[in-house]
């Protein structure tokens, strides 16, 4: 049987040569708003499962904050955040599975999300490890700024210098994290692809659509801030919504048809 249009051939023989980075589309300025609209439509089509994932995110967020607040130890906070970094990608993959099923015309189930999360656990672990390294370097950079940029009492000039240098250093890590994560996790939840290819493809797509992705990053930051300002309660709805929107962002931006689809 011939493969479907746009899907790689399953015939025996050498695999077709694939590009180092997945081809990406040129996005229009309305794309982020369209992704949010499509993500909200997915949320409304599977509200019970979405709220279940949201409740898990809420519980994890409260547990991390409560333990860090009660014990007040930086080492413990770092350990808790490290654990959350490894759990979060699997939760995200489970949410992408919901949008994936809806796109295929199937009814999403919790079992399907668990199965897919288990299949991509290795690649999600690589992603989490990279994010953990970036988090540690980010923290170390902040310590370096505190050590080498002194703020004199009563001097607003030194305060401004400290804030500018600290913001510049932090923005480097924030941009790297966003660029590699924007489309990579949805891609590994959809295709049989390694995390390096997914991360490079994500960064390439972000760099080729800078203005649109700046808006997308700002919307993510704004909605996440709303979730935190509501004592984490807003995260129950916002995080699944953003995950579904990220799925549609990936589907519109990257053409990963050269890689086998996960079943």
């Amino acid at each position: 049987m011939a493969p479907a249009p746009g899907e790689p051939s399953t015939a025996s023989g050498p695999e077709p040569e694939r590009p180092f980075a997945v081809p990406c589309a040129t996005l229009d300025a309305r794309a982020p708003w369209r992704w949010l609209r499509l993500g909200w439509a997915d949320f409304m089509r599977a509200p019970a499962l979405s709220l279940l994932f949201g409740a898990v995110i809420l519980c994890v967020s409260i547990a991390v904050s409560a333990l860090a607040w009660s014990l007040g130890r930086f080492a413990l906070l770092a350990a808790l955040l490290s654990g959350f970094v490894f759990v979060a990608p699997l939760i995200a993959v489970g949410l992408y599975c919901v949008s994936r099923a809806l796109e295929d015309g199937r009814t999403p189930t919790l079992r399907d999300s668990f199965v897919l999360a288990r299949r991509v656990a290795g690649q999600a672990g690589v992603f989490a490890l990279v994010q953990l390294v970036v988090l540690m370097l980010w923290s170390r950079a902040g310590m370096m700024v505190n050590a080498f940029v002194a703020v004199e009492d009563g001097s607003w000039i030194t305060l401004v210098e400290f804030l500018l240098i600290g913001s510049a250093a932090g923005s480097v890590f924030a941009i790297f994290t966003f660029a590699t994560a924007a489309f990579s996790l949805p891609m590994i939840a959809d295709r049989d692809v390694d995390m390096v290819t997914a991360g490079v493809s994500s960064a390439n797509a972000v760099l080729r659509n800078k203005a649109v992705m700046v808006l997308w990053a700002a919307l993510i930051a704004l909605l996440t801030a709303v979730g935190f300002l509501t004592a984490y309660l807003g995260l129950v709805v916002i995080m699944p919504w953003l995950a579904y929107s990220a799925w549609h962002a990936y589907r519109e931006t990257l053409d990963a048809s050269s890689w086998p689809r996960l079943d």
Side-chain angles (χ1 to χ4, degrees), residues 229-251:
L229 290 174
T230 56
Y232 299 154
L233 292 176
L235 296 179
V236 175
V237 172
I238 289 173
M239 298 314 290
W241 178 21
L242 286 178
Y244 301 152
S245 301
W247 169 263
H248 290 286
Y250 150 72
R251 293 291 289 157

Side-chain angles (χ1 to χ4, degrees), residues 69-88:
W69 177 268
S70 63
L71 298 176
R73 297 176 183 175
F74 177 79
L76 176 63
L77 177 59
L80 291 171
L81 288 176
S82 300
F84 185 71
V85 164
F86 279 93
V87 172

Side-chain angles (χ1 to χ4, degrees), residues 176 178-184 197-208:
F176 175 83
F178 174 74
T180 56
F183 306 114
S184 57
T197 300
V200 170
S201 301
S202 177
N204 176 64
V206 169
L207 291 175
R208 291 178 181 273

